[in-house]
Every structure is written in C-alpha cells, then in structure tokens.
Amino acid sequence: GARFVHIVYCFARYVMIEETKKLCGGTGIPFAEAVVWTPEDMYIAEARHRVAYHKLLQVLQREDFVVQEYKKKAQ
C-alpha cells in the first residue's frame, strides 16, 4: 500500500544520498550537500515531494498492472 511505497521512497532517497556522498567525496562537487539541503520555502519543497511521490506511486501501480496482465496471459 501507500505506507510501503513511502518506506521504499525514503530508503531509495537515503541510498541515493549516501552513494552521492561517496562518489562526490573529495572532488569539490557540492552536489551531495545540495541533496540534503533544506529549502527556505517549505511549501514548494513539500509540493515537489508530493509530485515525485505520486509519480513514483503511478509507476509502481502501472508496473503491478503489467505484471498482473502477464500472469493472466500465462495461465
């Protein structure tokens, strides 16, 4: 459900941040700091989060639908 998708989203974000920190370490690239940076306008940040969250949910639902259709056709 939605709670599982939220957990997967949070985990994926965490992994991306940690991987970016590891790859950008010592290179002088400020991207890793920008990822964890908190914006001044939290309303816009929350709106962007909602859009990304719903887009991920749509992708996962579409993928589930395709898998279910393949299962039906395989039987």
Side-chain angles (χ1 to χ4, degrees):
R3 190 172 180 191
F4 175 75
V5 171
H6 179 69
I7 290 171
V8 170
Y9 171 79
C10 289
F11 177 70
R13 184 176 185 277
Y14 171 78
V15 170
M16 184 216 39
I17 290 170
E18 292 303 313
E19 192 67 22
T20 304
K21 284 180 183 177
K22 185 173 73 173
L23 293 174
C24 294
T27 61
I29 301 172
F31 180 73
E33 291 79 23
V35 171
V36 295
W37 174 73
T38 304
E40 293 176 12
D41 189 357
M42 286 305 292
Y43 176 76
I44 292 175
E46 289 174 6
R48 287 180 179 165
H49 174 265
R50 281 192 305 273
V51 169
Y53 179 80
H54 288 293
K55 185 68 174 173
L56 175 63
L57 184 61
Q58 288 175 351
V59 168
L60 293 174
Q61 287 173 337
R62 190 176 318 131
E63 180 181 348
D64 182 54
F65 176 76
V66 170
V67 168
Q68 295 299 325
E69 289 296 313
Y70 279 129
K71 286 182 181 179
K72 285 180 187 177
K73 291 179 182 181
Q75 293 175 352

